[in-house]
Amino acid sequence: MLELDFTQIDWKEIGTATLDTLRMLGASALFSFIIGLPVGVLLYMAARSTSGLVRFGYSILSFIVNILRSVPFIILIVAMIPITKSLVGVSYGVLGTIPPLVVGAAPFFARLVETALNEVDKGVIEAAHAMGSSTSQIVWRVLLPEARPGLLAGMTITIVTLVSYTAMSGQVGGGGLGDLAIKYGYYRYETEIMILAVVLMIVLVQLLQMAGDRLVRHFTRK
Amino acid sequence: MIELKQLTKQYGKARTLTTALSELDLSIEKGEIFGVIGHSGAGKSTLIRCINLLERPTSGEVWVDGKNLTLLGKKQLQAERRKIGMIFQHFNLLSSATVYDNIAFPLRLIKTPKAEMERKVSELLALVGLEAHRDKYPSQLSGGQKQRVGIARALASDPEVLLCDEATSALDPQTTDSILRLLLDINKKFHLTIVLITHEMHVIQSICDRVAVIHQGGIVEQGPVTEVFLKPKHEVTQEFIRQELDSGEALRLAMQGQANSSSQAVQITFLGSKTYDSILSHTVHETGVNFAILQGTISTIKETPYGQLIVRFEGEERAIEETIRKLLQQGLDVEVIH
């Protein structure tokens, strides 16, 4: 019978790890959205262009996005070490984990943005053209507001995916809950701390998903 | 007001090339309600989309209010489009915006000051009778209400032309009539030129001044609705009108009846105030001819009353000839049916 003793847990360490996870999540999600949103809009627009050259540009951009999405995250972290170093000065710790997290998640989010925009009723866009809207007016006043529920759902999926990515950051000394679970639970057989770290991550994902769903519902007018 | 010259629109390339419009000419006057009727696939949807260049014609010219739109740059075209309102079969409202914000959309595009916008939108809400729904979202409205929002939105930029793309096709008959009445009111009130496309003769008959019948990418017949409706020449037109009047079979049966040598079937058409006069009864009284009504309609085209009767005169051949002559003299249109 497995005996669990939760009295020995170092709560300070759990606290630091939780905070590290939240910091990594917050920063990487923010930058993934800032980069992914315009790239997603660009993908959407380029796919519909009447110019052959622009559509060729779309295939290239689309190919790059696919490459970045297919590289396993653990490899991305290692492969990006030089780039990470030149970007944030270090290639380890919480700070050193953020660039690979962004590079891993931004293309993923860009695809979700493109998908959400594809769902916008073509008739509404046609009506906006008929009313004399410019391209930027169509993006800001039609596409983004109409796709808002889809965009929020995409943000939720991205941020939940980032939670599991952060667990791998331990490989470069990133810290956080996932790292804690692997270090203590897997390498040192301290099951209690592993269970606690995993439970905290489950709670985190649940909270994020619920908040996201609630926002999507709030903005759905269909 | 609108002039389409040698308009051709083709889709696809080489082997898959299909021609939606071929060298079509059309001229629409300022202030009139012009209807284009055709079956699906006849090219009417392409035709109306070419007027504001939502579809760019393969060749030909589109003139609206003295400007050749096909020659304009992107910015100029956007400016011209603001003077051309458009409403759609499926309304195409922003689902994420309230009724108010939907109507304000064209005003925001040109950065209208807030007070001015508020005034304008309130006016339009009153015009289409939706004051009570200003803060609702389109999903909370019925089809007819959505189309009213569409109309208000199209009018927000004070256009000179309103394009209606099957605007009543998704609505039930009662709602269709109320929307058509609204369009007619707007046409009178603002002297707005309205172009509408439809596959329903009823729509044309209710509000149009002139009509063009489109078939296989070309116009096969056009003219004032009274003329085209009462004297259809092309078989496509005749088919549309037959659907509306539901004659065909019933008439054939009636004609088969007791036709004999001393009888003659004729079609009599009354137009305008004559519709309600007792011309026919007076005339047969004078000539001593009897008649049987085989089929008949008394209705209105837009606001013009008309009647069209198919009757069989019975009597002496000379008396029947005399009757027809007298009817023609009094300004009725009589056509002998063989």
Side-chain angles (χ1 to χ4, degrees), chain A residues 26 35-36 94 98 106 167-168:
Chain A
I35 296 166
V94 169
I98 291 168
M168 285 179 250

Side-chain angles (χ1 to χ4, degrees), chain A residues 13-68:
Chain A
E13 202 157 15
I14 292 278
T16 315
T18 309
L19 223 63
D20 280 350
T21 294
L22 291 178
R23 278 160 65 203
M24 282 189 285
L25 265 187
S28 59
L30 182 70
F31 284 107
S32 299
F33 297 158
I34 291 175
I35 296 166
L37 189 67
V39 173
V41 172
L42 214 62
L43 282 169
Y44 172 89
M45 305 287 288
R48 278 160 184 71
S49 175
T50 46
S51 143
L53 195 69
V54 176
R55 278 206 306 279
F56 180 66
Y58 170 80
S59 343
I60 293 190
L61 186 62
S62 178
F63 186 57
I64 294 172
V65 165
N66 284 346
I67 288 177
L68 288 175

Side-chain angles (χ1 to χ4, degrees), chain A residues 123 126 129 132 137 146 221, chain B residues 49 82 92 95-96 109 139:
Chain A
E126 188 176 52
H129 276 297
Q137 282 170 329
E146 286 290 289
R221 305 282 179 215
Chain B
R49 280 176 164 64
R82 290 188 196 113
N92 297 351
S95 64
S96 58
L109 293 181
S139 59

Side-chain angles (χ1 to χ4, degrees), chain A residues 121-124 126-135 137 141-142 145-146 148 219 221-222, chain B residues 49 52 54 74 78 81-82 84 86 88 92-97 105-106 108-109 137 139 153:
Chain A
D121 183 4
K122 308 283 168 293
V124 180
E126 188 176 52
H129 276 297
M131 286 186 275
S133 312
S134 65
T135 306
Q137 282 170 329
R141 293 177 181 277
V142 181
E146 286 290 289
R148 191 158 48 195
F219 284 109
R221 305 282 179 215
K222 286 228 158 105
Chain B
R49 280 176 164 64
N52 60 3
L54 281 179
K74 211 172 167 184
Q78 281 163 11
R81 275 177 175 167
R82 290 188 196 113
I84 306 172
M86 190 167 191
F88 305 85
N92 297 351
L93 303 174
L94 287 153
S95 64
S96 58
F105 187 94
R108 292 211 168 95
L109 293 181
Y137 287 91
S139 59
R153 177 175 73 174

